[in-house]
Amino acid sequence: MIRNWFKRSAPVEAQQDRRTPPMLMAPRRRGQRMFAAAETDRMTSGWTNTPMPADQIIRRNWRVLVARSREQAANNGYAKAFKASARRNLIGQKGLVLQALVSEGDGKPDAGANKAIETAWLNWCKARNCDVKGRRTFRQIQKTLVNGLCTDGEFMVRLVYGRDAGPWGFALQVLDPVLCPVDFDEEKRPGGRFIRAGIEYSKMGRPMAYYFTTLDPSQADYHYSGRAFIRVPADEIIHWFEEDFVGQKRGLPWMATALLRMRQLGEFERSALNNAREGANKVGVIEWDEGYGPAIEDGEEGETFEEIEFESESGIYHQMPGGARMKKVESQYPNGELAVFSKHMLRGAASALGVAYNDLANDLEGVNLSSIRHGVLSERDQWQELQESLIEAFALPVYEQWLAHALLSNRITLDNGSPLPAAKRSKFMAVRFQPRRWQWIDPAKDVKADAEAVDNLFKSRGQVIRERGRDPREVYGEIAADIAAMREAKIPENVIEALISAKSKGGQGNGQAADPEAGNAGEGADQGNPNTG
């Protein structure tokens, strides 16, 4: 006989008392998941259960999201405000400013080469040179790209060379991402290549070419499924987007997560406005006592009665007929809840967009210095991150191609007229793009903190100047020019030294020079002008 060792009889106590109450902690249900968010019940019946690959997410959602983002940017004031905020914070008044950092073999700056590169770059950045259409400057092109990132989630810029590129033979063409069809896929091309979302990739996933639709079949160089395309090599296209999913090949609009809230808020405001207008226009209705009222007449079209209407006029009251009384219709909406609901929706939209609520909603009610400082600094960290991405993905590749073309065409010349040698191209790649920076909320405290950081060697003077969006060499040059102008005006040297080296400490500021041992007096003047004594 085989004995079942796993079978256990019920305890004696349980056999004697079958009315024992159940345990307080019920056993786990069969199939119950550890994470509450993974449960499938009536509360989560509409929640997706199957993860989709990035290509499928883009194919299903890209067109709809782009269409709705563009519509909201045109009709929704908050969507338009977000685009303006993105342009203002990423690009600003000057855009990405080139600063050449070429140095000699001994480490000293090559002032001649730096000046030549910056001068030639500023010349190329003019609208007639950098844009194939001759309409937009390099800064305006940057603004256009940021607008596209908000509504399209990506930008595509073509590098154009030769006669069609304008006076310099090198220019940029901003392309509409919609022209690169997201539904254009092709499998098993020669060499293991494949096409996803209008982009041709190598076997290992490196972009090889971009396909753009055209309405002129004579210009097309590729046809597929009855559609005509222009094939552009990938090395002529700058394509950038924020990657949200591994393997993502096209960008998603920055406004995607906030679209639903902005749309619903707009519809809510429209409904509230309609209700308010109806409440303001509708005075009331006439009620009749029994036995009174207009006579009902029988006609060919059925029973009809004569309508009685009164037009509401300011300061005029109408006499009611006998048996009639006026019943006012009061509109209780919109009321105080409108502002609360709108603020709640805008806070959610601001979080989805990654911006401060006060900036998006233009609402400074109840804001103090500490709260707005915290919100602004947190938001600026995000803008700085995106600025660096924009520099790496767009500005530096454009400069690299511009430099190669400009050196080969002898477009970059020194003050004596000699061009920079193309053989030293790698040397001239030492540049920095300075993005915009912001004014501080409490300038006095921030300036004092920077001064103390410089005195304690936590920061350099150049770093402080760059954090304010200026080029240290430019600032030092201005200081040197001021010193030279004061000397030309016959101002005594001791006064010049006092003006340059004096520090404002407490009540100090009477023009006397600070103690050299306390703050390295004259350091700014020495850096600005080597000849200063």
Side-chain angles (χ1 to χ4, degrees):
M1 180 180 64
I2 301 177
R3 182 174 297 179
N4 187 352
W5 294 99
F6 299 97
K7 186 176 180 180
R8 294 288 185 270
S9 60
V12 177
E13 294 79 6
Q15 293 179 3
Q16 294 176 353
D17 187 2
R18 298 291 182 178
R19 295 173 299 174
T20 302
M23 299 175 63
L24 294 178
M25 182 177 292
R28 295 180 62 86
R29 299 192 311 270
R30 186 173 183 178
Q32 185 177 10
R33 294 176 173 88
M34 178 178 293
F35 293 96
E39 290 290 339
T40 302
D41 51 24
R42 62 183 182 86
M43 300 296 292
T44 60
S45 58
W47 205 351
T48 181
N49 295 332
T50 306
M52 290 189 296
D55 290 342
Q56 193 171 353
I57 293 175
I58 298 298
R59 172 180 276 274
R60 290 189 177 186
N61 299 281
W62 190 86
R63 285 187 177 276
V64 177
L65 290 176
V66 170
R68 292 179 178 178
S69 296
R70 292 186 176 189
E71 184 275 332
Q72 285 293 287
N75 297 315
N76 191 305
Y78 298 113
K80 188 173 183 180
F82 170 66
K83 290 180 63 176
S85 178
R87 292 194 308 269
R88 182 173 64 251
N89 287 282
L90 289 178
I91 306 304
Q93 298 178 350
K94 297 182 178 180
L96 303 175
V97 180
L98 177 72
Q99 297 177 1
L101 304 175
V102 181
S103 59
E104 297 288 358
D106 54 1
K108 295 182 179 179
D110 190 341
N114 291 330
K115 180 181 178 182
I117 292 174
E118 292 178 358
T119 302
W121 174 261
L122 288 176
N123 186 16
W124 177 79
C125 287
K126 297 178 181 178
R128 65 176 182 270
N129 297 326
C130 70
D131 185 11
V132 291
K133 297 180 179 180
R135 297 178 180 176
R136 289 170 291 195
T137 64
F138 189 63
R139 184 186 68 87
Q140 292 169 342
I141 289 177
Q142 298 170 39
K143 293 173 58 178
T144 302
L145 300 184
V146 172
N147 285 334
L149 290 170
C150 295
T151 56
D152 308 335
E154 60 184 354
F155 63 75
M156 296 181 180
V157 179
R158 184 176 184 180
L159 308 177
V160 183
Y161 304 88
R163 186 175 301 176
D164 296 334
W168 274 65
F170 172 74
L172 306 178
Q173 181 185 13
V174 181
L175 302 173
D176 187 353
V178 175
L179 298 179
C180 185
V182 73
D183 59 346
F184 178 30
D185 296 338
E186 187 178 347
E187 306 289 345
K188 298 180 180 179
R189 292 181 57 82
R193 297 185 180 186
F194 60 93
I195 297 178
R196 288 286 187 279
I199 306 174
E200 182 179 349
Y201 293 90
S202 66
K203 182 179 180 180
M204 300 304 297
R206 181 183 293 271
M208 305 300 296
Y210 287 74
Y211 291 83
F212 297 92
T213 56
T214 177
L215 299 178
D216 188 358
S218 62
Q219 296 181 354
D221 49 18
Y222 187 81
H223 296 80
Y224 184 81
S225 298
R227 291 190 292 180
F229 298 95
I230 297 177
R231 184 180 186 274
V232 181
D235 56 4
E236 296 182 10
I237 298 292
I238 297 178
H239 178 210
W240 182 76
F241 58 89
E242 283 285 296
E243 187 173 354
D244 299 309
F245 310 99
V246 176
Q248 184 176 342
K249 297 177 177 60
R250 299 290 295 268
L252 293 173
W254 287 1
M255 296 194 301
T257 312
L259 278 178
L260 184 60
R261 275 192 173 91
M262 290 192 295
R263 166 77 174 179
Q264 296 299 332
L265 179 58
E267 293 297 317
F268 177 78
E269 291 177 344
R270 186 177 294 107
S271 299
L273 176 61
N274 291 335
N275 194 72
R277 293 178 61 181
E278 291 178 3
N281 294 333
K282 191 185 302 180
V283 177
V285 296
I286 300 176
E287 289 186 344
W288 298 92
D289 295 336
E290 187 174 354
Y292 293 88
I296 300 177
E297 299 179 356
D298 294 332
E300 296 180 357
E301 299 180 356
E303 296 182 350
T304 60
F305 59 90
E306 180 183 1
E307 295 183 356
I308 300 179
E309 296 181 354
F310 295 96
E311 294 184 0
S312 176
E313 299 180 59
S314 177
I316 297 178
Y317 296 89
H318 297 275
Q319 182 177 0
M320 302 298 295
R325 60 181 180 273
M326 178 67 68
K327 180 180 180 181
K328 293 184 178 181
V329 178
E330 300 290 345
S331 176
Q332 301 297 329
Y333 198 81
N335 52 24
E337 297 299 324
L338 175 62
V340 176
F341 178 78
S342 298
K343 182 176 291 188
H344 172 76
M345 295 291 284
L346 285 175
R347 282 175 173 169
S351 298
L353 297 172
V355 299
Y357 158 77
N358 307 95
D359 183 43
L360 179 67
N362 194 22
D363 182 9
L364 298 178
E365 181 182 359
V367 173
N368 56 42
L369 182 61
S370 298
S371 63
I372 196 171
R373 178 185 175 88
H374 174 77
V376 167
L377 292 180
S378 177
E379 181 185 9
R380 287 177 180 178
D381 287 341
Q382 174 175 317
W383 293 128
Q384 289 179 359
E385 177 187 351
L386 292 174
Q387 283 176 344
E388 293 303 318
S389 297
L390 193 61
I391 292 173
E392 294 171 355
F394 173 69
L396 287 176
V398 169
Y399 173 78
E400 182 178 1
Q401 297 300 319
W402 169 86
L403 179 64
H405 180 83
L407 291 175
L408 292 175
S409 58
N410 295 328
R411 289 276 189 170
I412 307 178
T413 58
L414 299 171
D415 290 339
N416 57 11
S418 59
L420 294 183
K424 297 183 178 180
R425 174 173 170 270
S426 59
K427 172 185 176 180
F428 303 136
M429 280 297 299
V431 296
R432 175 195 296 116
F433 279 92
Q434 176 64 48
R436 74 146 295 177
R437 288 296 180 257
W438 302 268
Q439 295 293 331
W440 294 107
I441 300 173
D442 192 351
K445 293 182 179 179
D446 293 310
V447 170
K448 181 180 178 181
D450 281 340
E452 293 178 354
V454 171
D455 291 342
N456 291 286
L457 302 181
F458 296 148
K459 288 184 179 181
S460 65
R461 294 182 183 273
Q463 179 183 354
V464 173
I465 295 172
R466 283 190 294 270
E467 288 176 352
R468 280 160 171 72
R470 297 289 305 277
D471 184 356
R473 293 173 303 169
E474 181 182 352
V475 175
Y476 298 152
E478 292 175 358
I479 295 175
D482 290 344
I483 295 174
M486 287 187 285
R487 284 175 173 166
E488 186 177 355
K490 307 300 183 182
I491 297 178
E493 287 293 330
N494 62 335
V495 176
I496 296 177
E497 182 180 357
L499 292 174
I500 296 299
S501 62
K503 290 187 176 182
S504 178
K505 292 185 177 180
Q508 191 174 350
N510 54 7
Q512 296 180 357
D515 184 2
E517 296 181 359
N520 295 329
E523 179 180 345
D526 292 341
Q527 292 185 11
N529 186 355
N531 297 325
T532 302

